[in-house]
């Protein structure tokens, strides 16, 4: 989103209160760092009466400050595109933690901090250097050129610049935190997905055994039956189907493992549920768990991300198997169509197990990140991320998830997703 107000093309001198107010309002509505820095540098230039300015944002990965937005006719000509974090200018701003005017720097030239910082600003044609500090870290800084209004009073401009710089810092900081949060969510999803791949791989190995046997048999028999056209025709059809089946399975697994941006497509929930049950079949068998499925025939389709929903069901099914690993039991999966007041249809997916259940004190925490009871028990070590991700994915699909449980009897998860109107 680009800034709505162009702060750079307004009359000078400015009304400080009006500038701060409109700038703060604008900042509150921007959700993207590029747009934010553009808005910030425009407002700063306007406050200082500068015709040129640049804002540099910290690039943590590459340990440098990257020029993110520029104001001025000769776009960026005087301002380098990036500066290493070790450069004297960001170092100075970090230590000083306040705005600097070239004159101040000149005055300090002979001091220990001085080290010709004024000279450093000259090649950039900058007169002001403003740090954007948060928690003692220089997140960004702005450079502003000489004012085109030489008569301006520095003593009144500097406090305004400081106030604007601080407002910009707060907004930048919030967006970076938001970005970090988004990134760690993605990372969590990916880690969790890779974890369930182990089960899928087990199911896959089992699944391809049958088609491989039929392919092998065909190859063994073909030399002696080569003159039997019926045999060759019929059997090659079967073998080809088996090869397609293996290809489809491989595709499913690769799709599941690959990281992708969410992609909404029109899907049949029954199909996704069946495909997940298929993958856990072997594991269920080895835990003495019987699978019962009851899939509604009249189920409307839902707009969803197929791989994410698979992740949801696999997490629920694997939790259910874990809860029944000691004594075996039954995993029951039911899909139904629900009509709600207002004429909207929902698809409901109910997963019940007859496992050890969840204690009431734990029930309110099961969706919390890293909540797990799987280090206390003999079960495999859990990360406690499974249900957090389930919850997150369902929310992103505008759905709902509810849970009921009784100790030693079992647990039921009910997911509802809005259906595509028929
Ligand atoms: N069907 C279930 N029956 C009993 N307890 C459950 C069930 N599903 C979840 N839980 C409880 O909720 C906790 C959190 O589940 P979650 O899937 O988030 O993490 P986890 O299963 O412990 O770890 P991971 O998913 O990484 O294996 C579990 O440790 C368990 O105590
Ligand atoms: Mg789990």
């Amino acid at each position: 989103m680009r800034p709505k107000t162009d702060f750079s093309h307004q009359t000078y001198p400015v009304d400080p209160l009006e500038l701060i107010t409109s700038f703060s309002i604008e900042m509150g509505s921007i959700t993207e760092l590029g747009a934010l820095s553009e808005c910030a540098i425009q407002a700063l230039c306007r406050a200082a009466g500068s015709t040129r300015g640049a804002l540099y944002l910290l690039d943590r990965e590459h340990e440098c400050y990257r020029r993110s937005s520029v104001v001025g006719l000769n776009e960026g000509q005087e301002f380098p595109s990036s500066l290493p974090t070790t450069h004297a200018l960001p170092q100075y701003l970090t230590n000083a933690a306040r705005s600097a005017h070239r004159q101040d720097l000149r005055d300090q030239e002979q001091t220990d901090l001085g080290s010709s910082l004024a000279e450093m600003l000259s090649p950039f044609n900058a007169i002001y250097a403003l740090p954007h500090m948060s928690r003692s870290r220089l997140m960004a800084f702005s450079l502003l050129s000489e004012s085109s209004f030489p008569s301006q009073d520095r003593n009144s401009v500097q406090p305004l610049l400081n106030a604007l710089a601080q407002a910009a810092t707060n907004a930048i900081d919030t967006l970076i935190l938001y970005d970090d949060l988004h990134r760690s969510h993605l990372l969590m999803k990916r880690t969790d997905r890779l974890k369930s791949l182990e089960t899928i791989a087990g199911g896959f190995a089992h699944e391809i055994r049958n088609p491989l046997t039929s392919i092998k048999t065909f190859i063994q028999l073909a030399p002696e039956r080569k003159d039997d056209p019926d045999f060759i025709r019929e059997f090659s059809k079967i073998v080809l189907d088996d090869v397609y089946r293996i290809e489809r399975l491989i595709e499913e697994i690769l799709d599941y493992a690959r990281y992708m941006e969410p992609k909404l497509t029109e899907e049949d929930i029954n199909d996704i549920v069946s495909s997940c049950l298929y993958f856990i079949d072997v594991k269920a068998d080895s835990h003495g768990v019987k699978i019962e499925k009851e899939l509604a025939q009249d189920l409307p389709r839902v707009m969803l991300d197929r791989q994410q929903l698979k992740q949801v069901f696999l997490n629920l099914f694997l939790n259910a198997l874990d809860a029944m690993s000691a004594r075996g039991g039954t995993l029951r999966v039911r899909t139904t169509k629900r009509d709600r007041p207002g004429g909207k249809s929902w698809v409901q997916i109910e997963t019940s197990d007859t496992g050890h259940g969840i204690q009431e004190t734990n029930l309110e925490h099961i969706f919390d990140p890293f909540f797990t009871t799987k280090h206390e028990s003999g079960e495999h070590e859990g990360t406690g991320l499974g249900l957090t991700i389930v919850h997150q994915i369902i929310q992103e699909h505008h759905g709902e998830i509810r849970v009921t449980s009784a100790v030693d009897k079992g647990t039921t998860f009910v997911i509802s997703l809005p259906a595509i109107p028929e």
Side-chain angles (χ1 to χ4, degrees):
M1 188 191 145
R2 313 315 295 166
K4 284 197 260 340
T5 318
D6 185 352
F7 291 101
S8 59
H9 296 104
Q10 290 171 16
T11 50
Y12 198 84
V14 292
D15 172 352
L17 201 59
E18 187 240 295
L19 181 59
I20 291 179
T21 309
S22 55
F23 177 62
S24 302
I25 293 171
E26 185 83 37
M27 294 258 116
S29 65
I30 296 178
T31 54
E32 195 246 311
L33 264 179
L36 190 70
S37 58
E38 196 168 309
C39 177
I41 195 64
Q42 280 185 14
L44 290 169
C45 279
R46 173 151 160 67
S50 306
T51 47
R52 291 182 305 279
L55 190 144
Y56 288 77
L57 278 176
L58 175 63
D59 176 343
R60 283 174 293 178
E61 210 174 306
H62 299 99
E63 298 193 346
C64 68
Y65 290 89
R66 250 176 233 295
R67 196 183 65 216
S68 151
S69 299
V70 206
V71 163
L73 295 175
N74 313 318
E75 273 226 346
Q77 258 175 13
E78 304 89 341
F79 298 111
S81 61
S82 75
L83 284 181
T85 48
T86 49
H87 187 279
L89 181 59
Q91 294 274 321
Y92 168 79
L93 290 172
T94 305
N95 290 329
R98 61 184 169 79
S99 61
H101 188 274
R102 195 153 73 198
Q103 194 53 49
D104 305 336
L105 299 171
R106 262 203 195 111
D107 296 346
Q108 288 192 33
E109 234 166 278
Q110 300 316 316
T111 70
D112 45 349
L113 271 178
S115 70
S116 308
L117 275 158
E119 297 314 313
M120 207 172 352
L121 290 179
S122 310
F124 309 151
N125 244 328
I127 191 158
Y128 279 111
L130 305 163
H132 299 286
M133 305 279 296
S134 172
R135 292 178 291 275
S136 317
R137 186 149 201 203
L138 187 69
M139 320 286 293
F141 62 88
S142 300
L143 300 178
L144 307 177
S145 72
E146 197 107 37
S147 175
S148 46
F149 303 92
S151 60
Q152 67 162 325
D153 174 15
R154 246 186 72 197
N155 292 333
S156 67
V157 170
Q158 204 128 349
L160 175 59
L161 285 179
N162 289 342
L164 288 172
Q166 192 52 51
T169 307
N170 295 347
I172 290 172
D173 199 33
T174 309
L175 275 194
I176 289 178
L177 279 177
Y178 182 77
D179 217 44
D180 282 352
L181 190 69
H182 180 65
R183 257 186 245 216
S184 43
H185 272 160
L186 289 181
L187 197 65
M188 265 165 45
K189 258 190 209 161
R190 175 145 176 75
T191 313
D192 176 74
R193 195 176 278 196
L194 290 176
K195 220 170 133 245
S196 42
L197 261 185
E198 198 184 312
T199 310
I200 292 196
F204 174 71
H206 182 79
E207 269 318 308
I208 61 169
R209 208 163 288 154
N210 285 344
L212 278 183
T213 308
S214 94
I215 295 167
K216 200 160 108 193
T217 312
F218 178 66
I219 293 169
Q220 282 166 344
L221 292 178
E224 58 188 80
R225 307 281 292 273
K226 64 178 187 311
D227 299 324
D228 178 348
D230 288 344
F231 169 84
I232 297 290
R233 191 178 51 248
E234 288 308 313
F235 219 139
S236 55
K237 234 193 301 170
I238 295 172
V239 165
L240 196 60
D241 278 350
D242 283 339
V243 171
Y244 286 149
R245 195 166 138 69
I246 295 175
E247 268 181 3
R248 263 202 318 273
L249 280 170
I250 292 176
E251 207 42 57
E252 285 253 329
I253 293 182
L254 288 179
D255 249 17
Y256 186 73
R258 220 175 278 147
Y259 169 69
M260 291 168 301
E261 281 299 309
K263 194 174 68 196
L264 297 184
T265 44
E266 210 180 300
E267 297 284 347
D268 174 7
I269 287 276
N270 285 344
D271 180 45
I272 301 176
V273 167
S274 299
S275 137
C276 291
L277 285 175
Y278 191 68
F279 280 126
I280 62 146
D281 201 37
V282 188
K283 193 165 179 171
D285 221 31
S286 69
H287 282 56
V289 170
K290 203 171 113 214
I291 294 177
E292 285 180 8
K293 66 175 181 184
E294 202 183 305
L295 306 180
Q297 292 310 308
D298 63 342
L299 213 58
R301 293 166 84 80
V302 179
M303 279 306 276
L304 50 82
D305 181 295
R306 188 180 167 81
Q307 303 308 332
Q308 288 199 351
L309 259 287
K310 272 201 209 162
Q311 189 166 3
V312 165
F313 296 137
L314 280 171
N315 272 324
L316 293 184
F317 298 165
L318 292 175
N319 279 345
L321 294 189
D322 282 343
M324 296 186 282
S325 62
R327 298 176 306 195
T330 305
L331 168 64
R332 192 168 296 120
V333 186
R334 205 154 72 98
T335 59
T336 40
K337 175 180 176 228
R338 297 274 151 172
D339 292 319
R340 292 200 180 170
K344 289 213 174 95
S345 293
W346 287 62
V347 169
Q348 189 168 298
I349 309 103
E350 202 178 305
T351 305
S352 319
D353 64 62
T354 56
H356 55 56
I358 305 170
Q359 283 173 13
E360 210 178 320
T361 45
N362 287 345
L363 209 53
E364 59 186 294
H365 297 295
I366 58 169
F367 294 107
D368 296 349
F370 307 111
F371 176 83
T372 180
T373 54
K374 293 182 188 167
H375 39 247
E376 300 157 6
S377 61
E379 294 164 66
H380 70 94
E381 188 83 13
T383 61
L385 286 180
L387 286 180
T388 310
I389 284 153
V390 165
H391 190 262
Q392 194 190 329
I393 293 176
I394 296 303
Q395 292 254 304
E396 284 166 5
H397 282 82
H398 310 291
E400 293 160 10
I401 178 163
R402 283 176 289 123
V403 56
T404 48
S405 187
V407 173
D408 284 334
K409 290 212 169 67
T411 305
T412 300
F413 284 90
V414 181
I415 290 178
S416 308
L417 292 167
I420 299 173
E422 281 166 66

